[in-house]
Amino acid sequence: MNKKDDLEKDVNRLKEIVKVIKKKLNECDNEELSFPGDLKPSPADVEIQSKKRKQKNDELITKLQPASSKCVRLDEEKTPPQELSVEALLKRREELKDRVKKAKQEAVNLITNMETNTVESCEAEEHKKKIEEAARRDIADTVEQT
């Protein structure tokens, strides 16, 4: 048996527990207040019966809450994240398209900058060589004149 089957068993078992607890709660809510004999109950007896019923309801609700939250958690674990809605997938696709478009534009910008820098670098190198050559000639001319 794999983990998914175990989770499904747990979920089904917890759902059954929740059904039983809900049924018990409904029974408690629907049952008439009962008193011994055909005597009309006193207000104190009604209050005691009411408190007992409320306490029983509270106990059942307390038992229901952990089972219910565990059931929800197991349902979430059972549902793989790949089961996204079509709208969510389309939105994600558009976001990825935008990111690819921006990345391509950035690549084009970088290539353009690189080419511009290469051309400028070559031009600067040529200019440097011309200045050095002119400086050598000036120095040679100055040496010849002296």
Side-chain angles (χ1 to χ4, degrees):
M1 230 182 233
N2 62 24
K3 186 177 178 182
K4 185 176 180 181
D5 291 336
D6 291 340
L7 286 174
E8 286 182 27
K9 272 184 161 180
D10 288 343
V11 168
N12 290 333
R13 191 175 40 212
L14 287 170
K15 284 181 181 179
E16 287 300 317
I17 292 170
V18 169
K19 283 181 188 176
V20 169
I21 291 173
K22 284 183 179 179
K23 183 178 175 184
K24 292 277 187 185
L25 284 171
N26 284 334
E27 287 174 7
C28 287
D29 284 342
N30 293 333
E31 76 183 30
E32 300 265 335
L33 292 176
S34 60
F35 298 98
D38 288 334
L39 300 174
K40 190 168 190 164
S42 69
D45 289 338
V46 171
E47 188 176 332
I48 290 170
Q49 284 284 347
S50 178
K51 284 182 181 179
K52 284 181 181 179
R53 181 187 284 170
K54 184 178 179 338
Q55 184 179 8
K56 189 174 182 181
N57 281 350
D58 290 344
E59 288 173 7
L60 289 172
I61 288 171
T62 304
K63 289 179 183 177
L64 173 66
Q65 286 172 340
S68 178
S69 64
K70 184 174 182 182
C71 184
V72 168
R73 185 180 51 78
L74 289 173
D75 267 342
E76 288 171 356
E77 286 178 13
K78 186 175 82 173
T79 305
Q82 293 86 359
E83 294 180 12
L84 299 173
S85 68
V86 173
E87 293 84 15
L89 290 172
L90 290 173
K91 183 179 178 183
R92 179 73 175 141
R93 179 178 177 233
E94 289 304 314
E95 289 171 357
L96 291 173
K97 276 184 173 180
D98 289 344
R99 288 176 63 187
V100 166
K101 185 177 177 180
K102 287 177 184 176
K104 284 181 179 179
Q105 185 60 45
E106 188 175 338
V108 167
N109 291 343
L110 289 172
I111 289 170
T112 303
N113 288 341
M114 186 178 71
E115 289 171 349
T116 302
N117 288 340
T118 303
V119 168
E120 288 174 359
S121 176
C122 289
E123 289 173 354
E125 192 65 34
E126 287 177 29
H127 189 63
K128 178 182 169 187
K129 287 179 183 177
K130 287 179 184 176
I131 291 173
E132 287 175 350
E133 188 61 38
R136 282 190 200 115
R137 276 188 254 134
D138 284 345
I139 292 172
D141 288 346
T142 306
V143 169
E144 276 182 24
Q145 288 177 357
T146 50

